[in-house]
Structure formats: C-alpha cells, structure tokens
Amino acid sequence: MPEMVIVTEGLRKDYGSTQALRGLDLEVRGGEVFGFLGPNGAGKTTTIRVLLDLIRPSGGSARVLDLDPRSQGIDVRGRVGYLPGDFLVDGRQSADELLTYLGNLRGGVAKQRIVALAERLQLDLRPAIRTLSKGNRQKVGLVQAFMHEPELLIMDEPTSGLDPFLQQEFTAMAREVVADGRTIFMSSHVLSEVQATSDRVGIIRDGQLVATERVEDLTRQHFKRLRLNFGNMPPIGTFVQDGVEATDVAVPIE
C-alpha cells in the first residue's frame, strides 16, 4: 500500500454555474481512519464520487491507491470497499441473496464471513430488502463494504440510521481495519461520530478544505465553557459525564 492512499491536487467539480469543489487539496495516509467532515452540501459526496470515477472532475487531479481513477477506474474499484450515502439495490432480493451475488462479483467471499458480519450488526439476512427499515438497509450496505476486506474503505455517512450501540460496533470494526494496516475514508456531518472513529479529520466547507487536524487537537479546539448558577446546590455527581469537567464549584451561602 502506498504511503498516501488518496491524494487530490486542485480538484474542481462544476455543475453548470455551481462550484461543488473549488481546488480541493487532500492527503489520506495508509493505515488511518480519515474523517471527512462538513455540513450538507459542502462537497463530501462529490469528492467521493470523483475518487471512484463515478463522475468526472472539471479540473485538478486525484489518485487513489497510487492509481488514476479516470484511466484505471476498474482497478481502483476492485481494491476499494464503497458505501454510498443512499444504498439503493433491487429490493426483491433477500440480504443473503444480494450479498452472495456481490461477493461472487468480487471473486468470491466466504459465506461465514458474511454471516459473521451480519451477526455483529444484528442483521437478519432472510427478509427481502424492500421490507427492511432504513437502519437495516444500512447494515446490508456496511456488510457489502467490509466483507471482502478491501485495502481502502470509502464510506459516505456510514452510521446513518444506526442506533448508538451499533454505531459503537461500527467504530470497533473500523479500528480492526486500521489494526490490519488498511485505510478508511469516511464522510460525515456529525462531529461526535468523527471524533469517536477517526485518527485525523479534514474539514470541508463550500468545496474547499479549510483545516486538517488530528482528532485530539480538534477536540481541544472545540471545547465549550459554561457557567451555571443554581438557587440550591445540585446533587454531587450531576455533571460527571464523559467529556464534561466541573471546575470552580461554588456552594451557595445560606
């Protein structure tokens, strides 16, 4: 695996008079979880689609796994696991049938691998996909992205629709990928999700990268200090929570 798994230089994408990407310079290292953070409409999904050659850029360049997505798109997609923001498939199939079919397209994925991932995500493989809730369809998408153990996982809002417990399970799965020396590039508009999962974070706004930070540095820069006044002393331990520190506690004078 190359040292830099994703590199873009001056990447642009125009939709008529609308500039979705405006000179994006981005570097993602091998063996990390890189969180791509920004509000809806910032250019996250457009970036992902350009990286996978699902759309063509208007200017600049991109390389994925040291390959050119435009001229080597088949090779890129063969080495990547991809979860789109909207995982749309033929709803008449069961999850088992779909995942078996997609695994065969990948050259074969062991049945026990699919079953193990489904069990981790509490996914029943038997019902037709059209009968599944959004959260369960998202689980199907996650299984298909992870199941062939790709060098690079590219995921657009991967925990959308998942309950908090399964979001934690996704984080554990992501850390296992990195421990194996592989890489994850994931977009999100939720800071807490990125903080829980990522090693580094790139912040995109209006089609431009405005900052790249390690997660611990980002956390330090975004804490808030609040002063609360009470008529009576609240119970001891009221504010004992992860990420919350109580200081300068003043006891009211009777």
Side-chain angles (χ1 to χ4, degrees):
M1 180 180 293
E3 181 181 359
M4 293 296 175
V5 173
I6 295 174
V7 177
T8 71
E9 296 180 352
L11 195 63
R12 293 191 302 102
K13 178 60 182 178
D14 302 331
Y15 296 103
S17 61
T18 301
Q19 290 183 302
L21 296 177
R22 301 189 296 162
L24 181 69
D25 295 324
L26 180 66
E27 291 184 342
V28 177
R29 302 167 186 156
E32 71 174 349
V33 180
F34 189 95
F36 200 40
L37 180 67
N40 292 329
K44 303 186 301 295
T45 297
T46 296
T47 301
I48 287 174
R49 289 174 177 169
V50 169
L51 293 175
L52 293 169
D53 196 41
L54 302 178
I55 58 176
R56 293 288 171 87
S58 303
S61 65
R63 294 193 70 80
V64 178
L65 296 168
D66 209 23
L67 300 171
D68 179 1
R70 292 193 63 173
S71 61
Q72 299 169 291
I74 294 176
D75 293 332
V76 168
R77 291 187 291 274
R79 295 167 62 182
V80 169
Y82 172 48
L83 176 66
D86 294 312
F87 183 66
L88 302 176
V89 293
D90 184 351
R92 294 171 296 180
Q93 296 176 298
S94 69
D96 182 52
E97 291 169 334
L98 174 69
L99 293 168
T100 299
Y101 171 73
L102 294 177
N104 289 336
L105 287 180
R106 290 284 187 184
V109 173
K111 182 71 172 183
Q112 57 267 34
R113 169 70 175 166
I114 295 173
V115 170
L117 287 170
E119 288 178 348
R120 290 188 69 171
L121 294 170
Q122 301 177 13
L123 171 66
D124 186 347
L125 294 170
R126 295 169 295 178
I129 293 173
R130 66 186 173 195
T131 68
L132 299 179
S133 66
K134 173 178 171 54
N136 281 318
R137 289 197 303 272
Q138 189 74 358
K139 295 175 191 178
V140 177
L142 285 169
V143 172
Q144 66 82 31
F146 277 85
M147 66 183 183
H148 59 293
E149 301 181 288
E151 297 171 62
L152 170 63
L153 276 153
I154 296 179
M155 295 181 286
D156 197 353
E157 307 281 355
T159 65
S160 175
L162 299 185
D163 64 41
F165 174 80
L166 290 175
Q167 289 177 15
Q168 292 179 4
E169 189 61 37
F170 167 78
T171 298
M173 291 166 61
R175 300 320 303 174
E176 290 167 12
V177 168
V178 171
D180 195 34
R182 296 180 285 129
T183 308
I184 292 179
F185 179 80
M186 55 173 279
S187 80
S188 179
H189 64 276
V190 182
L191 177 59
S192 59
E193 175 182 84
V194 170
Q195 287 176 316
T197 309
S198 304
D199 301 301
R200 289 194 306 139
V201 177
I203 300 173
I204 184 173
R205 184 179 300 134
D206 295 327
Q208 292 182 308
L209 196 69
V210 296
T212 303
E213 304 280 355
R214 291 194 59 80
V215 166
E216 55 267 31
D217 296 333
L218 185 68
T219 301
R220 282 196 293 267
Q221 292 177 26
H222 288 80
F223 74 89
K224 292 184 178 179
R225 183 183 298 274
L226 301 176
R227 178 168 182 159
L228 306 177
N229 297 311
F230 298 91
N232 297 298
M233 186 66 180
I236 295 174
T238 299
F239 303 108
V240 178
Q241 300 182 43
D242 290 342
V244 176
E245 181 180 351
T247 61
D248 301 326
V249 177
V251 179
I253 299 174
E254 299 293 339

